[in-house]
Amino acid sequence: MPDSNFQFEEDEEKAQLETRVKALEIDLRQKKEIILAQHTKLEAFFESSIDALVQMDFDGHITGWNKQAEKIFGWSAEQILDQKIEDTIIPVRYRTAHQKGMKRFLETGETSVMNNLIEIHALHRDGHEFPVELSVSVMDSPDLQEFNAYIRDISERKHAETVIWNQTNFDSLTSLPNRNLFLQKLEHEIRSCDRSNQSLALLYLDVDRFKDVNDSLGHDIGDLLLIEISSRLKKTVREIDTVSRLSGDEFTIILGNIDDQLSVQPVCQELLDALAEPFQLENEKVFLTASIGVTFYPQDSKKIESLQRNADQAMYAAKAEGSNRYNFFTPELQQRALRKRRMIRDLREAIDEAQFEIYYQPIIDLKRNFLNKAEALLRWHHPVSGLVSPAVFIPIAEETGLISEIGSWVFYTAIEQANRWRCELNKDFQISINTSPLQWIDDAAAMSQWFKHLRESGISGQAMTVEITEGLLMDARDKITNRLLDFSDAEIQVSIDDFGTGYSSLSYLKQFDIDYLKIDQSFVRNLDHDKNDLALCDAIIVMAQKLGIKVIAEGVETENQDRLLKSFGCDFGQGYLYSRPVPAADFEKLLSQWNAKDMSGLKKSSA
Ligand code: C2E
Ligand code: CA
Ligand code: CA
């Protein structure tokens, strides 16, 4: 019994032991499974990382290499494991630096790459380099000494950055630096001048009448032309000089290392000469000129903004002096520009401040000795400078676009005045206003408003004549033809002003519906003593009459001129002989006196 009893206990113990072993085994298996799962997870993480993961021991042998690493470096794990990284993925030129860095790390624990994100180039198996972003961490424990490098291929991002950089710094049409890069280069050149104690010249170059070429030949040819211009400019200057395109047909050139300002003159001339050579574009031969403004650093200014302004002013001065030339900046130019800027500022306020007034100058019907026309001539009462001549402020109003507003003010004021005088003094009275080409070319909307005003106010268009220059008809023919028809519909007559100073083509005038031709003062002035001008006036009058166009002689100052003009059969005369331009109130008196034929002091009978 005790035996059997003992036997029983032994069995019991064995069974318990077995159960415990089993439980332990299960536990162990489970733990193993968990570890395995964790490992698989880690591996999956390792493999699926979007970064290449490269592990390496402290001797530089590669010990880990994931799928992404295979992809970006072109080496499989099998091929590369146990190789040294400085023999494989580090470009040759970085290898010495890498070895030094490793050595320092092993000796001192210091490192520059650790835990920082750095951009560097890596070497592909096929030998090409590519940009990567790299961060490295280190495991340094007694049983594991390892580097983990996370590497991302940033070729695409770098490429995109380059594209964007190019877009922000280069002009896409000509591939020249744009304004942005030009300014950076200028800054850079200025610093280098300071170091070397030398000067630089900044040139602004603007193609003359480029807009005309563009308008007449089309934008595609215009683009070709700009490309060709760019290449000629580049060829003319030295490699170290920078040609940029600021906008449209505006270029800048930075000439560095200048010892002598005079040495810039031949360069400017060469640039002009280079552009003067005809351009053969598809089937078109194009002739061009340009205007150049030059300023020097540090002589003219040390500030970038002032240098730009100087060169711009000098360029405009070159244009004003007739284009196709270069001009050096001078302080006097700056004074002039300053005065001009003030005038622009004041001109903006002139309408609102009611500083404009229209003077009227009689236009005499020479055959009837009758006054029923006047030219409206604008006057500006400047609060400080006094009376400013339209010859001074009209060009500035044109340049700044203010002419549109001013021109409309003149129209509305003059038409009201004409209407009043028609009602009160003479039902056929007519006022002639001057218009700028810009109003015709760019300001269709304003002119449409004029016609609308006439329709709504019931004022007859016959109360008005508009004066235009010959040039307008020649240069912008298509735009003008339709607009002239609008005027004709509105019963507003049209005069050609300053006739004889431009193209003077009478046959050309035939194509347009022109009512009056104003012979320019310069011919009338010489009538007494210049046979050519005499013959010319005579011819203009005869031919105009054949075309059914009435002639007005401007600038009649002497009795003799008046007599000669009448003998040629000239229709109208205007000038100081009859009256200077005068304010409306004075003109009113003049008008009633003249037509009442009680003008003293003036011979009124025809010669
Ligand atoms: P314009 O149209 O040729 O006007 C004639 C100019 O000759 C006027 O100068 C007039 O005062 C002047 N004049 C008239 N008779 C004689 C004379 O016998 N001898 C001399 N030496 N000169 C005479 P003003 O008023 O100074 O105007 C100058 C120019 O300004 C005008 O030349 C015209 O082109 C422009 N202008 C005047 N008012 C306007 C305007 O409202 N709009 C536009 N766009 N231009 C205007
Ligand atoms: Ca005029
Ligand atoms: Ca005139």
Side-chain angles (χ1 to χ4, degrees):
M1 194 64 190
D3 267 11
S4 66
N5 219 356
F6 177 74
Q7 183 64 40
F8 174 76
E9 275 175 13
E10 206 173 65
D11 287 351
E12 183 89 330
E13 222 165 82
K14 205 169 150 195
Q16 272 177 7
L17 212 68
E18 269 171 13
T19 326
R20 268 184 43 212
V21 167
K22 232 174 223 148
L24 269 174
E25 270 176 4
I26 290 170
D27 197 32
L28 199 68
R29 198 174 335 121
Q30 278 174 344
K31 283 220 168 93
K32 244 183 171 171
E33 271 167 14
I34 289 170
I35 288 173
L36 202 70
Q38 269 174 350
H39 191 82
T40 321
K41 233 159 111 184
L42 210 66
E43 193 129 292
F45 167 73
F46 185 78
E47 289 303 339
S48 68
S49 161
I50 57 163
D51 291 330
L53 256 156
V54 176
Q55 292 168 304
M56 174 185 97
D57 64 20
F58 277 17
D59 295 328
H61 291 104
I62 295 168
T63 54
W65 187 258
N66 74 349
K67 282 268 179 314
Q68 191 60 16
E70 293 190 339
K71 203 168 143 198
I72 70 169
F73 288 104
W75 297 88
S76 70
E78 246 168 43
Q79 291 166 327
I80 206 163
L81 286 176
D82 286 338
Q83 295 215 52
K84 294 193 111 183
I85 70 156
E86 66 230 56
D87 298 336
T88 49
I89 62 173
I90 296 184
V92 179
R93 60 200 163 110
Y94 295 141
R95 286 181 185 171
T96 324
H98 166 78
Q99 281 157 357
K100 278 187 192 155
M102 276 294 266
K103 193 159 169 265
R104 193 176 68 222
F105 171 73
L106 294 174
E107 283 165 11
T108 65
E110 279 171 24
T111 144
S112 54
V113 290
M114 220 58 74
N115 300 323
N116 278 329
L117 199 60
I118 56 169
E119 279 184 15
I120 192 171
H121 277 86
L123 184 64
H124 189 272
R125 190 179 171 207
D126 68 13
H128 85 269
E129 286 185 20
F130 59 101
V132 294
E133 206 168 59
L134 163 78
S135 82
V136 181
S137 66
V138 60
M139 294 278 284
D140 193 1
S141 64
D143 41 32
L144 186 63
Q145 292 186 320
E146 202 171 52
F147 295 107
N148 291 319
Y150 305 86
I151 303 168
R152 183 171 294 183
D153 180 354
I154 54 170
S155 307
E156 268 178 32
R157 196 183 80 201
K158 281 281 158 196
H159 176 70
E161 278 172 9
T162 312
V163 169
I164 292 169
W165 194 83
N166 282 339
Q167 267 168 6
T168 42
N169 288 291
F170 287 93
D171 165 42
S172 58
L173 178 68
T174 61
S175 305
L176 290 179
N178 63 11
R179 186 184 297 270
N180 210 10
L181 188 56
F182 155 67
L183 289 173
Q184 291 171 41
K185 293 237 179 194
L186 185 57
E187 230 165 276
H188 175 85
E189 287 295 320
I190 282 176
R191 277 199 299 274
S192 116
C193 274
D194 290 344
R195 281 193 300 273
S196 63
N197 247 335
Q198 275 186 316
S199 307
L200 71 77
L202 173 62
L203 277 60
Y204 266 36
L205 182 149
D206 192 285
V207 180
D208 301 325
R209 299 169 68 94
F210 181 77
K211 200 175 163 298
D212 293 352
V213 178
N214 224 13
D215 288 348
S216 60
L217 299 178
H219 287 253
D220 290 345
I221 299 273
D223 282 355
L224 286 180
L225 195 55
L226 286 168
I227 293 170
E228 180 62 26
I229 290 170
S230 308
S231 106
R232 289 193 192 179
L233 295 179
K234 266 189 85 114
K235 266 187 221 145
T236 310
V237 298
R238 299 164 300 177
E239 196 68 33
I240 59 157
D241 301 326
T242 308
V243 180
S244 314
R245 178 173 175 230
L246 289 201
S247 66
D249 57 339
E250 251 192 340
F251 297 86
T252 61
I253 300 156
I254 306 170
L255 304 175
N257 301 339
I258 306 282
D259 313 303
D260 175 12
Q261 298 194 3
L262 289 180
S263 68
V264 172
Q265 288 187 1
V267 182
C268 292
Q269 193 53 54
E270 279 166 36
L271 288 164
L272 293 178
D273 292 345
L275 298 186
E277 287 288 313
F279 292 80
Q280 186 66 49
L281 302 164
E282 292 175 357
N283 296 325
E284 302 283 351
K285 204 174 208 169
V286 179
F287 293 86
L288 277 189
T289 59
S291 303
I292 303 176
V294 187
T295 190
F296 292 94
Y297 175 90
Q299 291 83 348
D300 292 337
S301 173
K302 293 192 126 185
K303 289 209 203 97
I304 286 202
E305 301 80 52
S306 319
L307 286 170
Q308 288 179 268
R309 203 175 327 114
N310 292 354
D312 198 47
Q313 284 168 6
M315 189 270 288
Y316 273 104
K319 287 223 188 254
E321 281 165 33
S323 306
N324 192 20
R325 66 184 61 221
Y326 57 89
N327 207 332
F328 283 17
F329 169 81
T330 60
E332 178 197 318
L333 211 59
Q334 192 172 22
Q335 284 300 319
R336 219 191 303 160
L338 194 70
R339 279 200 299 275
K340 187 168 147 186
R341 271 210 301 283
R342 290 207 187 109
M343 181 168 285
I344 292 171
R345 185 198 61 197
D346 295 347
L347 203 50
R348 289 187 201 283
E349 295 180 348
I351 288 191
D352 291 339
E353 302 288 325
Q355 292 166 3
F356 285 128
E357 182 183 2
I358 298 181
Y359 276 28
Y360 296 91
Q361 185 177 33
I363 298 173
I364 309 294
D365 180 335
L366 296 179
K367 292 187 174 135
R368 298 193 291 147
N369 258 322
F370 195 67
L371 168 50
N372 67 348
K373 292 188 198 307
E375 176 171 3
L377 292 159
L378 192 56
R379 297 292 178 261
W380 179 17
H381 300 281
H382 188 277
V384 181
S385 316
L387 203 64
V388 185
S389 160
V392 173
F393 70 81
I394 292 287
I396 291 176
E398 288 175 337
E399 211 178 282
T400 51
L402 287 165
I403 191 66
S404 159
E405 202 187 335
I406 296 173
S408 282
W409 182 85
V410 169
F411 172 84
Y412 292 113
T413 312
I415 195 85
E416 289 303 325
Q417 184 63 75
N419 189 45
R420 207 168 317 129
W421 284 334
R422 281 166 81 91
C423 295
E424 293 168 7
L425 299 169
N426 180 334
K427 66 175 177 40
D428 296 322
F429 195 78
Q430 194 180 41
I431 289 177
S432 172
I433 61 166
N434 290 283
T435 55
S436 292
L438 282 175
Q439 292 173 264
W440 289 78
I441 293 165
D442 298 336
D443 215 8
M447 285 187 167
S448 307
Q449 286 298 316
W450 298 1
F451 303 133
K452 189 160 167 262
H453 177 81
L454 287 183
R455 286 193 300 271
E456 287 172 1
S457 66
I459 299 176
S460 163
Q462 290 170 3
M464 179 142 289
T465 302
V466 287
E467 299 189 7
I468 59 176
T469 55
E470 294 168 81
L472 185 66
L473 295 182
M474 300 289 180
D475 296 341
R477 186 173 161 181
D478 295 341
K479 276 187 178 175
I480 304 310
T481 312
N482 286 332
R483 204 65 53 75
L484 282 174
L485 289 175
D486 292 339
F487 275 88
S488 162
D489 288 346
E491 294 190 282
I492 296 178
Q493 292 190 307
V494 177
S495 292
I496 302 296
D497 204 357
D498 306 335
F499 187 81
T501 55
Y503 303 82
S504 314
S505 162
L506 274 167
S507 58
Y508 204 90
L509 290 185
K510 240 188 336 198
Q511 304 168 26
F512 302 96
D513 192 6
I514 302 297
D515 303 284
Y516 303 97
L517 211 158
K518 300 187 80 169
I519 303 180
D520 190 66
Q521 321 192 349
S522 56
F523 302 105
V524 177
R525 192 176 306 137
N526 299 331
L527 267 185
D528 317 70
H529 50 267
D530 188 324
K531 282 214 170 65
N532 286 335
D533 283 354
L534 193 81
L536 196 78
C537 283
D538 188 19
I540 292 174
I541 293 166
V542 172
M543 290 184 65
Q545 280 168 348
K546 283 204 178 115
L547 295 171
I549 300 175
K550 300 254 184 244
V551 178
I552 302 170
E554 286 191 290
V556 183
E557 292 185 354
T558 67
E559 298 276 353
N560 196 34
Q561 289 162 353
D562 170 85
R563 190 181 54 76
L564 285 167
L565 288 163
K566 281 174 179 160
S567 74
F568 296 152
C570 184
D571 303 285
F572 296 92
Q574 178 185 352
Y576 294 168
L577 175 67
Y578 316 109
S579 167
R580 290 184 173 257
V582 291
D586 295 342
F587 185 84
E588 216 163 281
K589 279 184 219 142
L590 190 83
L591 183 63
S592 39
Q593 278 169 2
W594 188 285
N595 290 342
K597 303 204 187 291
D598 64 352
M599 285 287 288
S600 50
L602 268 177
K603 267 209 202 93
K604 298 195 62 219
S605 55
S606 32

